[in-house]
Amino acid sequence: MTAVDQNTRRRRGTGLIALDAAAACDGYTLYAPLTGGGQVLLVDLHGRVAHRWQLPHRPGRHARILPNGNLAYNATLPGQDALFPMWHKYRGGLMQEIAPDGTVLREFTDPLQHHDAHHYGDGRILYTALEPLTGERAQAVRGGVPGSAPAGGTVFADTVREVDADGRPLWSWRAADHLDRDAYALHPDYSREHWPLINSVLPLADGNVLASLRSASAVIVVSRATGEVLWRTEPGLVSQQHHPTELPNGNILIFDNGVFRPGHDVPYSRVIEVDRASGKVVWEYHDPAREAFFAPFMGSAQRLPNGNTLITDSPAGRLFEVTAAGLLCWEYVVPEFGSYREPEVGALFPTQNNAVFRAYRYTAAELPWLKRQA
């Protein structure tokens, strides 16, 4: 035993770290600690818990408030085997809509779902899942560490699926059918277990689908009509990115993790706004000391109504808000620490952590039930 807490993140302080109330966007921030045992929390600008859900299953990544005020929760389906070592880290499988009082209103299961599930609010869900590729189809996947595929040489490839409120299929897309193997090869340092690792999927205003391909370092727009790739970020623009979202002006906001960033010997993370027409970065945030903000995995960014940007430094459990000029005006460190229960994940991440996949900010007007509850 020691008098000093050996957990570096916890030792540096948790809860509210900084607040410029005049500059911050007022509202409540939602987050679901990945090791919090099923907690989902809403905190105000002062870091006070305004509402808490205690759910029976830990998050299969994140939670989000729907336009109707209910909680969309992507949970980890219990009793599943590990398809490969990292599977338990980011799998989900149980997609639920939950009332503020914790009542489950509807749910849909798919044991192969992972990372992201976008709940429309009317029961439809657009989500990412896996399919196994074997034999020549697996061998056709380019890149990765030779010989690193799971037993039998299987490579799990991504699919995107959409179901209606009754779970009936509405639309699907398969990476193996539509992606050029050379143009979307696995990074050479990645295991040949999951290709191309879609960590985010979102419907666009025009009906097409925005997706983030982490292990190929590409953000793409998929045609809902044909399945073809209509747009992609230029190679080298992003590195192992997460959570692209469409802004009202049509630009794309991206959390650019910066792992294996070409031409940079010191890794750093940034948030960028990309003009779709030109493909160029038109806004960027990185820490003034670039190396001080580096999230090697996970991460998200949300453009707020006042023009600020809420950023989730996921591995550190650090949520912070910056102005359009790049000035930090709010910072909160998640105080809920815990361990992963699955031994495969616990071996990879042995210390207690406070990681979150994404955080979202909501105005009081978007949470009318919170006022009634108070």
Side-chain angles (χ1 to χ4, degrees):
M1 297 293 292
T2 174
V4 176
D5 187 349
Q6 298 303 298
N7 189 301
T8 301
R9 292 171 183 163
R10 190 166 51 209
R11 190 174 63 246
R12 290 174 177 171
T14 63
L16 183 67
I17 303 298
L19 171 62
D20 179 349
C25 184
D26 195 19
Y28 299 86
T29 302
L30 182 82
Y31 66 91
L34 291 178
T35 57
Q39 293 185 83
V40 182
L41 301 101
L42 267 175
V43 297
D44 65 16
L45 281 187
H46 297 275
R48 298 173 299 216
V49 176
H51 190 75
R52 185 194 309 264
W53 291 262
Q54 184 61 62
L55 305 172
H57 307 296
R58 74 170 177 88
R61 299 288 88 179
H62 68 292
R64 181 175 139 255
I65 300 291
L66 297 172
N68 61 13
N70 292 332
L71 184 76
Y73 186 59
N74 301 321
T76 302
L77 191 66
Q80 301 299 300
D81 295 329
L83 300 177
F84 42 84
M86 283 293 288
W87 178 237
H88 280 321
K89 177 68 166 64
Y90 54 65
R91 70 177 179 88
L94 179 59
M95 294 158 270
Q96 300 176 306
E97 183 175 341
I98 300 172
D101 66 1
T103 302
V104 176
L105 303 174
R106 56 181 151 206
E107 65 181 26
F108 174 73
T109 63
D110 183 338
L112 295 179
Q113 184 266 331
H114 67 88
H115 276 98
D116 203 7
H118 176 82
H119 299 244
Y120 287 86
D122 58 5
R124 291 177 298 150
I125 308 173
L126 180 73
Y127 67 94
T128 54
L130 293 183
E131 67 165 342
L133 302 182
T134 58
E136 293 182 355
R137 298 176 74 229
Q139 295 168 15
V141 174
R142 302 286 183 258
V145 178
S148 62
T154 300
V155 175
F156 287 90
D158 280 306
T159 68
V160 179
R161 304 172 185 174
E162 185 173 288
V163 295
D164 67 12
D166 296 314
R168 294 175 298 217
L170 294 174
W171 181 80
S172 65
W173 179 89
R174 303 167 69 224
D177 288 344
H178 295 286
L179 291 186
D180 180 276
R181 303 301 194 273
D182 293 315
Y184 297 95
L186 285 167
H187 187 278
D189 289 324
Y190 262 72
S191 172
R192 287 179 56 81
E193 59 189 17
H194 185 177
W195 169 80
L197 211 165
I198 298 179
N199 56 32
S200 179
V201 64
L202 186 72
L204 295 174
D206 63 7
N208 293 314
V209 176
L210 181 68
S212 167
L213 285 52
R214 173 169 165 86
S215 60
S217 289
V219 173
I220 64 172
V221 173
V222 173
S223 168
R224 186 178 286 268
T226 67
E228 66 180 313
V229 175
L230 301 174
W231 180 88
R232 69 161 289 175
T233 49
E234 289 295 324
L237 181 71
V238 291
S239 299
Q240 315 297 296
Q241 74 296 321
H242 282 75
H243 198 218
T245 56
E246 183 181 31
L247 299 178
N249 62 6
N251 291 349
I252 306 297
L253 189 70
I254 305 170
F255 187 100
D256 182 18
N257 293 77
V259 184
F260 308 123
R261 191 187 304 283
H264 292 262
D265 59 343
V266 176
Y268 66 94
S269 296
R270 62 179 185 163
V271 175
I272 57 175
E273 180 181 338
V274 179
D275 177 78
R276 274 186 67 181
S278 67
K280 304 299 183 184
V281 174
V282 295
W283 180 85
E284 175 177 344
Y285 169 81
H286 55 76
D287 195 279
R290 289 179 189 251
E291 70 282 359
F293 170 36
F294 175 52
F297 47 88
M298 303 189 291
S300 71
Q302 176 192 6
R303 182 61 49 81
L304 301 175
N306 68 348
N308 290 356
T309 302
L310 177 68
I311 301 172
T312 306
D313 180 355
S314 295
R318 176 176 171 248
L319 321 177
F320 64 101
E321 179 184 347
V322 299
T323 67
L327 301 176
L328 188 144
C329 59
W330 182 79
E331 184 175 13
Y332 178 86
V333 175
V334 171
E336 290 81 19
F337 283 78
S339 301
Y340 287 101
R341 296 176 183 176
E342 298 91 344
E344 298 90 343
V345 186
L348 295 169
F349 301 90
T351 61
Q352 286 199 336
N353 72 81
N354 62 338
V356 296
F357 189 58
R358 293 181 192 161
Y360 294 93
R361 175 75 52 78
Y362 298 95
T363 64
E366 294 175 290
L367 305 166
W369 54 264
L370 190 60
K371 184 177 180 180
R372 293 195 298 269
Q373 172 183 282

